[in-house]
Amino acid sequence: MSCRDCTYYVPHALYRYIGFCEKERRVVIGEEYRKCGYFEINPDSYIKDTIEGRGWIYCADCYMPIYDYETALKHKAMGHLLTTKFMFDQVAAEESPGVD
Amino acid sequence: MTRWPLRSRREWTELRELRYIIGGPQGGGLETTSEILSWAFARSGYGVISDREYFSNIKGRHSYIHATVSGAEVPYHLSYPVDVIAAMDAESVFSHIGDIRDGGYLIYNSDEGQSRFNAIPSMERELRDRLAAFMKAESLDGTLASVVKYLSDARRVNAIGLSYRDLLDQLQKKESVEAAQASRYISTILSGAMAALSGVSRESIEFSMRRRFRQDEIYRANMTMFDIVSSLVESKHGSPLKLEGSTLSLRKMLVASGNDTVAMAKAVAGLRFQSYYPITPAADESFTLEEYERLAGDGPTMLVYQLEDELAVINAAIGAALAGVRSAAATSGPGFDLMVEGLGWAGMNEVPVVVTYYQRGGPSTGQPTRGAQSDLLSSVFASHGEYPRVVLASGDHVEAFYDTIDAFNYAEQFQVPVIHLVDKFLANTIATFPIPDLSSVKINRGAVIKEKVPGYKRFDFTYPVSPRAPLGTNVMWYTGDEHDEYGHISEDSENRVKIMEKRMGKLEVMEKEIPEERRYSYFGDERPDLILVGWGFVKGVATKAVSELRASGKKVGYLHIRTFVPFPSRTIGSVAKDVGADRLVAVEHNYEAQAAVLTAANTGITIGKKIVKFTGRPMYANELEEAVMRVMKGENRVVLEYGA
Amino acid sequence: MALKQLTPASYRSDVWNDWCPGCGNFGIVAAMTQAFAELGLAPESTVVVSGIGCSGKTPHFLNVEGIHTLHGRSLPYAEGIRLANPNLTVVVNAGDGDLLGIGVGHFVSLGRRNIDMTVIMHDNTVYGLTKGQAAPTLGRGLQPKALPKPNIQDAINPIALALASGYTFIARGYTSRVKHLKEIIKQAIEHKGSAFIDVLQPCVTYDNIHTVEYYNKRVYDLQEVEKWDPVVKSQEEAPQKMAQAMLKAYEGGDRIPIGVFYVNPNVPTYEERLNERLKTYSQMPPAAQEIDRAGVPLIGNEGFERIFSKYVVTVG
C-alpha cells in the first residue's frame, strides 16, 4: 500500500510519481506510504460510481480516459491509478506555449 | 491629357455597325430600353452587345447603356463615338456631349431646354468643373438648349427634341397609364425613337414588348406609346440609321447578361447548391439561379442559400461539397477577401468547390459598380500556405458558359477549389451568342466511391487524387490541420512530406490533364510585329482592334489567356522566342498589368509594354487602336481613360 | 452484413485523446457516444462538426464522420452538409469562443433558420489551447489564473442569446452529470429544428474558478427541482415561455440551473420550408440527385431551350 492507493491522493497530470495529499495539503511521493492516520482506500464502488456519474475515469498511468467499467477494471487489476482529479498546476500558463 | 470632350470624325459611311448610348437617371427605365432594343435587334437577326454603366446608387444618379449592333459580325466590342444618344434627362446629354459623332443623332426631352448643367445635384463635381470649362470655351450659357444648339451647329448633330410630357399626355388620352410603372413609358419613348431611326420592324418590337411586359394592359399601353413616338420620329427623320441586312447565320440565339449566362451554365453543369451573400456585381447570378431553382420541375433542383456573410458562404458551399454535391459560391472582391480562409481549408482538404469571382474596382469597397481585372493576383495567391487550385478567366459570354462547366469538372477531377474569374463588364453586359450545343458537353465527376469500403482512407497515399466518398457513405475525417491518410491530425515530418507531395502533386496532374490549347487562344497574324497579351473582357475589344489594325496593314495579333493555373507557359515562351519579348504588349484592366506579372513569374519573360485601363469603364476599340499605334511608335505604357 | 450491436465504444476512434488529464470534455464525449448508441445512429450517417481549439479535436476522438473546420465556422459547414444531405444527423461541437466570439454571427443566424441539427457548446469561459485568455462567457471582474489582469468585458449569456436568436430547443448541461447530459443530447438530436446545448465544462488547466467543485455546489436540475415545463404548446404561448426562460437564463451566482429551458416544436424547420418551395426536397435532396447520365448532363439541348426560353430569341 502506498499513498497513490489512498482516496486523498491527487496525482500530478504528467509526473505520475508526484501527488498531493488533500488531507495534509502537501506534496507526497506516490510510491511512499506514511502512517498518517488519514489513509483510506477508495471504496470498491468508486470506479463504477465515477463512470456512471461522470461518464469516464482517467488512467493516470496510461494517460488516457476510460469510458467503460470493464476496461477500467482491467487497468485497476494492473495496479493503475484511476481518477478524475489532478493536481492544480499553477505554472501551466508559463510552461505551456499557446498552441492553436 | 484632357480626355473630354472628344471631337470625333467618324462618319456614317457604312451601315455595318450601329453604336448608341441611352442615358437616364438610375432606376428610370434604362434596363427596359436596353432589353427591348437588344431583343428587337436580335429578333431582326443582328448581333448586339449592350453594356450597362451605373453608379453605386439606387435611384437618381446618371446611368447609361452603351451598345454596338451589327449584322456583319456578332459584335463583342464597344467603341466611340456613337451614332445616337437617346437621353431620358438633361444630365444624360451633358454627360455625353463628347461621345456623339459629328452628324449623329440626339434624342432629348425638349421640355428640359432651360435645365442648366450646374443645377443638377446628382452630377459629380469633377464633371461639373469640366463642363464649366467647356461651356466657357464654347461660349455657351450652360443650358441644355445651348448645348443642343452647339451640337447642331458645330457638330452637325441632328437634334430630335421630343416633349416627353406631351407624349405622356397623348398616351393618357388613349390608354390608362399605370402610375406605379410610369418609368416604363419613358423607356418606350426612347425605344420608339431608336427603333424609328434604326428602322427596326414593329414586329421585332412587339416581340420584345411581349417578353418584357407580361401584363396585357402594360404591354398594350407601351405599344401605343411606341407607335406614337416611332411614327412621329419616322415621319420627320425617316430611318437614317438603318443597318444593312444582317449576314449573320444565327437563326436562333441567346440574349443574356453574363450573370444569367453563368447561371444557365451552372444548371447544365449540375450545380445543386449555391451559397451567396448580396454583393455587386455577383448577386444577380444567384437571383437567376433561384428563379430557376426547380429546373424542369420534374425533380432535380438547385438549392440557393443566402447566408449572413461570405465567411459563411464559402464554408457552407464546402460543407455541401463534402456531402457530394456540385456546389459553388458567387462573389466579388470584398466578399472573396472574407472567403480566403475557407478557400485554404478546401485546398487542404481537397474539396471540389467553385468560386465564381466577379471582379470590380478595388481595393476595399473600391468601385462597386465598375469593372476591373485587378483580382488576378489575389485569386492566384489567396490564402496562406501552399495548395493547388485552378484559376480560369472568361473573355466573353460563350467562354463564360463553357468555363463554368469546366470549373466544376476540374474541381471534381482534381479535387481542388476552382476560381472562375469573370468581371462586372461581363456580368452586366447583354450579348447575343449562339445557343450552346450541349451534346458536346461532358460531366466529369472524377474518382468517386459511393459504396462502403472497409478501412476507407479519404486521403489514400496510393493516388495523387484519392477517390472521394461523399459524407454518408463511409466514416472519414477532415481537418484544417495537417493530417494523415485518414484525415486525422498528424504533425509527423515524414507524413508531412508525403501528404504535401501528394497534394501539391496534383499540380502536375493538372499540368498533364489540362491541354495547353485549352489555356489560351490566339487571333491575328501568324508572323506579327506586335502581340497584345490580355485576358478576360479585353478579348472582345482586342480582337476588334487587331482586325481593324490588320485591315489597315499592320501585322498584329492577340494572345488571350484563359487559364492562369495552370498557366500557358509553353505558348507564351515560344511566342516570346518567335516574335521577341519586346514585341509583347500587356492589355489589361488594372494598374500593374497583373497577367504580365504572372507571365514573368511563370516563364521569366518580362512584358515591358503595357496598355492599361483602371477607370472602371471598359476599353473601347477606338482608344485601344490608338494606344497600339502609340506603342508601335515607342511608348511603353499607355493609360486609357475614356468613358463617362 | 450482420447488424452489430452499437455501443458507446462503437463511436470512439482509436486516436489518442490528448486533452488534459481530468478535462471536462471527456464527459461530453461520454455523453455523446452514449446518446448515439441509445439512438442507434449509424456512424457513417452521423456527422460531428467542430471549430478550433480543444473542442475542435472532438471529431478525431469519435468514429463517425468527423469534420474539424475553422475557427468560428463550424456552423456554416454543418449547414451546408445538412442541407445538401438531410438524411445525415449533424451534431456541432464548438467552444464558447468559437460560437459566441469569432462565429457569433453564424450562431445568431442559425436560430433564424431552425435547421434540424444540434449544437453542443463547450462552455469553459477561457480559450484553452492558446493558454487561457478570457472567452465571451467569462464574467467581468473574474481573473482565472492565466489572465494577467481581471477581465473587463461582460459575459454573453448563451441561453439568452439562443432564445433571442430563435433556437427552438435550448438547454444547459454539465459535464460531471453525464446521464443528464446524455438525455439532453438525445432530446436535442430528436428535436426537429435547431437545438442548442450550453455545456458547463471546467477547464482544469486554465480556469481555477469554474472547477468541478464550484459547479457541483451550484448546479441544480430545472426539471427535477422546479418541475420546469419548457415546452411551447402552441405558437401563441411562445412569447410567454420565452420570457420565462429568459429570466431563468439570468439566474446565476450561487444557483446555476441545468436542464431544458425552452422547446418550441411549432416552428417549421428550414428543411420543411425548403420542401415547401422546391417541392421535391424531402424525397430528392441535393445529395440524392444525379446530375448526369454516363457523363452527359441531365439538361440537353431541348431541355435547355425549354427551361431558359426567356433568353432564347428566334430570328423572325
Side-chain angles (χ1 to χ4, degrees), chain B residues 175-213:
Chain B
E175 304 277 350
S176 71
V177 171
E178 172 71 45
Q181 300 209 9
S183 72
R184 297 274 191 251
Y185 309 104
I186 305 296
S187 303
T188 300
I189 291 176
L190 298 192
S191 310
M194 286 292 305
L197 289 178
S198 55
V200 174
S201 73
R202 187 175 192 277
E203 192 280 333
S204 295
I205 292 288
E206 263 175 7
F207 168 85
S208 296
M209 294 270 198
R210 276 262 177 244
R211 301 187 140 215
R212 191 72 173 102
F213 306 123

Coordinates of all heavy atoms in Angstrom, one line a residue, chain B residues 175-213:
Chain B
E175 N -54.8 55.5 -73.5 CA -54.7 54.3 -72.6 C -54.7 54.7 -71.1 O -54.3 55.8 -70.8 CB -53.4 53.5 -72.9 CG -53.2 53.1 -74.3 CD -53.9 51.8 -74.7 OE1 -54.4 51.1 -73.8 OE2 -53.9 51.5 -75.9
S176 N -55.0 53.8 -70.3 CA -54.8 54.1 -68.9 C -53.4 53.9 -68.5 O -52.8 52.8 -68.9 CB -55.8 53.3 -68.0 OG -55.3 51.9 -68.0
V177 N -52.8 54.9 -67.9 CA -51.3 54.7 -67.6 C -51.2 54.3 -66.2 O -51.7 54.9 -65.2 CB -50.6 56.1 -67.8 CG1 -49.2 56.1 -67.3 CG2 -50.6 56.4 -69.3
E178 N -50.5 53.2 -66.0 CA -50.3 52.6 -64.7 C -49.3 53.4 -63.9 O -48.1 53.5 -64.3 CB -49.8 51.2 -64.9 CG -49.4 50.4 -63.6 CD -50.5 50.1 -62.7 OE1 -51.6 49.6 -63.2 OE2 -50.4 50.3 -61.5
A179 N -49.7 54.1 -62.8 CA -48.9 55.1 -62.1 C -47.6 54.4 -61.6 O -46.5 55.0 -61.7 CB -49.6 55.7 -61.0
A180 N -47.8 53.2 -61.1 CA -46.6 52.5 -60.4 C -45.6 52.1 -61.5 O -44.5 51.7 -61.1 CB -47.1 51.3 -59.6
Q181 N -46.0 52.2 -62.8 CA -45.0 51.8 -63.8 C -44.7 52.9 -64.7 O -44.4 52.7 -65.9 CB -45.5 50.5 -64.5 CG -45.8 49.4 -63.6 CD -45.6 48.0 -64.4 OE1 -45.2 48.0 -65.5 NE2 -46.0 47.0 -63.7
A182 N -44.8 54.1 -64.2 CA -44.7 55.3 -65.0 C -43.4 55.4 -65.8 O -43.4 55.8 -67.0 CB -44.8 56.6 -64.2
S183 N -42.3 54.9 -65.2 CA -41.0 55.0 -65.9 C -40.9 54.1 -67.2 O -40.2 54.4 -68.1 CB -39.8 54.6 -65.0 OG -39.9 53.2 -64.8
R184 N -41.8 53.1 -67.2 CA -41.9 52.2 -68.4 C -42.1 53.1 -69.7 O -41.6 52.7 -70.7 CB -43.1 51.2 -68.3 CG -42.9 50.3 -67.2 CD -42.1 49.1 -67.7 NE -42.2 48.0 -66.7 CZ -41.2 47.6 -65.9 NH1 -40.0 48.3 -66.0 NH2 -41.3 46.6 -65.1
Y185 N -43.0 54.1 -69.5 CA -43.4 54.8 -70.8 C -42.2 55.7 -71.2 O -42.1 55.9 -72.4 CB -44.7 55.6 -70.5 CG -45.7 54.6 -69.9 CD1 -46.0 54.7 -68.5 CD2 -46.3 53.7 -70.7 CE1 -46.9 53.7 -68.0 CE2 -47.2 52.7 -70.1 CZ -47.5 52.8 -68.8 OH -48.4 51.9 -68.3
I186 N -41.4 56.2 -70.3 CA -40.2 57.0 -70.7 C -39.3 56.0 -71.5 O -38.7 56.4 -72.5 CB -39.5 57.6 -69.5 CG1 -40.5 58.4 -68.7 CG2 -38.3 58.4 -69.9 CD1 -41.1 59.6 -69.4
S187 N -39.1 54.8 -70.9 CA -38.3 53.8 -71.6 C -38.8 53.6 -73.1 O -38.0 53.5 -74.0 CB -38.4 52.4 -71.0 OG -38.1 52.5 -69.6
T188 N -40.1 53.6 -73.2 CA -40.7 53.3 -74.5 C -40.6 54.5 -75.5 O -40.4 54.3 -76.7 CB -42.1 52.8 -74.4 OG1 -42.1 51.6 -73.6 CG2 -42.8 52.5 -75.7
I189 N -40.6 55.7 -74.9 CA -40.3 56.9 -75.8 C -39.0 56.7 -76.5 O -38.8 56.8 -77.7 CB -40.3 58.2 -74.9 CG1 -41.7 58.5 -74.4 CG2 -39.8 59.3 -75.8 CD1 -41.8 59.7 -73.5
L190 N -38.0 56.3 -75.7 CA -36.6 56.1 -76.3 C -36.6 54.9 -77.2 O -36.0 55.0 -78.3 CB -35.6 56.0 -75.2 CG -35.4 57.2 -74.2 CD1 -34.2 57.1 -73.4 CD2 -35.4 58.5 -75.0
S191 N -37.2 53.8 -76.8 CA -37.2 52.6 -77.7 C -37.9 53.0 -79.0 O -37.4 52.6 -80.1 CB -38.0 51.5 -77.1 OG -37.6 51.2 -75.8
G192 N -39.0 53.8 -78.9 CA -39.7 54.1 -80.1 C -38.8 55.0 -81.0 O -38.8 54.7 -82.3
A193 N -38.2 56.0 -80.5 CA -37.3 56.9 -81.3 C -36.2 56.1 -81.9 O -35.8 56.3 -83.0 CB -36.9 58.0 -80.4
M194 N -35.6 55.2 -81.1 CA -34.4 54.5 -81.5 C -34.8 53.5 -82.6 O -34.1 53.4 -83.6 CB -33.8 53.6 -80.4 CG -33.0 54.4 -79.3 SD -31.5 55.1 -80.0 CE -30.7 53.6 -80.6
A195 N -36.0 52.9 -82.4 CA -36.4 51.9 -83.4 C -36.7 52.6 -84.8 O -36.4 52.1 -85.8 CB -37.7 51.2 -82.9
A196 N -37.3 53.8 -84.7 CA -37.6 54.6 -85.9 C -36.3 54.9 -86.6 O -36.2 54.6 -87.8 CB -38.4 55.8 -85.6
L197 N -35.4 55.5 -85.9 CA -34.1 55.9 -86.6 C -33.4 54.7 -87.2 O -32.8 54.8 -88.2 CB -33.2 56.6 -85.6 CG -33.6 58.0 -85.1 CD1 -32.6 58.5 -84.1 CD2 -33.7 59.0 -86.3
S198 N -33.4 53.6 -86.5 CA -32.6 52.5 -87.0 C -33.4 51.5 -87.8 O -32.9 50.4 -88.2 CB -31.9 51.7 -85.8 OG -32.9 51.3 -84.9
G199 N -34.7 51.8 -88.0 CA -35.5 51.0 -88.9 C -35.8 49.6 -88.4 O -36.0 48.7 -89.2
V200 N -35.9 49.5 -87.1 CA -36.3 48.2 -86.5 C -37.8 47.9 -86.8 O -38.6 48.9 -86.6 CB -36.0 48.1 -85.0 CG1 -36.5 46.8 -84.4 CG2 -34.5 48.3 -84.8
S201 N -38.1 46.7 -87.1 CA -39.5 46.5 -87.5 C -40.4 46.5 -86.3 O -40.0 46.2 -85.2 CB -39.7 45.1 -88.2 OG -39.5 44.1 -87.3
R202 N -41.7 46.9 -86.5 CA -42.7 46.9 -85.4 C -42.8 45.4 -84.9 O -43.0 45.3 -83.7 CB -44.0 47.4 -85.9 CG -45.0 47.6 -84.8 CD -46.3 48.2 -85.3 NE -47.2 48.7 -84.2 CZ -48.0 47.9 -83.6 NH1 -48.1 46.6 -83.9 NH2 -48.7 48.4 -82.6
E203 N -42.7 44.5 -85.7 CA -42.9 43.1 -85.3 C -41.8 42.7 -84.2 O -42.1 42.1 -83.2 CB -42.8 42.1 -86.5 CG -43.2 40.7 -86.2 CD -42.2 39.8 -85.5 OE1 -41.0 40.1 -85.7 OE2 -42.6 38.9 -84.8
S204 N -40.6 43.2 -84.5 CA -39.5 42.9 -83.6 C -39.7 43.5 -82.2 O -39.4 43.0 -81.2 CB -38.2 43.3 -84.1 OG -37.8 42.6 -85.3
I205 N -40.3 44.8 -82.3 CA -40.5 45.5 -81.0 C -41.7 44.8 -80.3 O -41.6 44.6 -79.1 CB -40.9 47.0 -81.3 CG1 -39.6 47.7 -81.8 CG2 -41.5 47.6 -80.1 CD1 -38.5 48.0 -80.8
E206 N -42.7 44.4 -81.0 CA -43.8 43.6 -80.4 C -43.3 42.4 -79.7 O -43.7 42.1 -78.5 CB -44.8 43.1 -81.5 CG -46.0 44.0 -81.8 CD -46.8 43.5 -82.9 OE1 -46.5 42.4 -83.5 OE2 -47.7 44.2 -83.3
F207 N -42.4 41.7 -80.3 CA -41.8 40.5 -79.8 C -41.1 40.8 -78.4 O -41.3 40.1 -77.4 CB -40.8 40.0 -80.8 CG -39.9 38.9 -80.3 CD1 -40.3 37.6 -80.3 CD2 -38.6 39.2 -79.8 CE1 -39.4 36.6 -79.8 CE2 -37.8 38.2 -79.4 CZ -38.2 36.9 -79.4
S208 N -40.4 41.9 -78.4 CA -39.7 42.3 -77.2 C -40.6 42.7 -76.1 O -40.5 42.4 -75.0 CB -38.7 43.5 -77.5 OG -37.7 43.1 -78.4
M209 N -41.6 43.5 -76.5 CA -42.5 44.1 -75.5 C -43.3 42.9 -74.9 O -43.6 43.0 -73.7 CB -43.5 45.1 -76.2 CG -42.8 46.3 -76.7 SD -42.8 47.6 -75.5 CE -42.4 49.0 -76.5
R210 N -43.7 42.0 -75.7 CA -44.4 40.8 -75.1 C -43.6 40.1 -74.1 O -44.1 39.7 -73.1 CB -44.7 39.8 -76.3 CG -45.9 40.1 -77.1 CD -47.1 39.3 -76.6 NE -48.3 39.7 -77.3 CZ -49.4 40.2 -76.8 NH1 -49.4 40.5 -75.5 NH2 -50.4 40.6 -77.5
R211 N -42.3 40.0 -74.3 CA -41.4 39.3 -73.3 C -41.3 40.2 -72.1 O -41.2 39.7 -71.0 CB -40.0 39.1 -73.9 CG -40.0 38.3 -75.1 CD -38.6 38.1 -75.5 NE -38.6 36.7 -75.9 CZ -37.6 35.8 -75.8 NH1 -36.5 36.2 -75.1 NH2 -37.7 34.6 -76.2
R212 N -41.2 41.5 -72.3 CA -40.9 42.4 -71.2 C -42.1 42.6 -70.3 O -42.0 42.6 -69.1 CB -40.3 43.7 -71.7 CG -39.7 44.6 -70.6 CD -38.4 44.0 -70.2 NE -37.7 44.9 -69.2 CZ -37.7 44.7 -67.9 NH1 -38.3 43.7 -67.4 NH2 -37.0 45.6 -67.2
F213 N -43.2 42.8 -71.0 CA -44.5 43.2 -70.2 C -45.5 42.0 -70.2 O -46.2 41.8 -71.2 CB -45.1 44.5 -70.8 CG -44.1 45.6 -70.9 CD1 -43.8 46.2 -72.1 CD2 -43.4 46.1 -69.8 CE1 -42.9 47.3 -72.2 CE2 -42.5 47.1 -69.9 CZ -42.3 47.7 -71.1

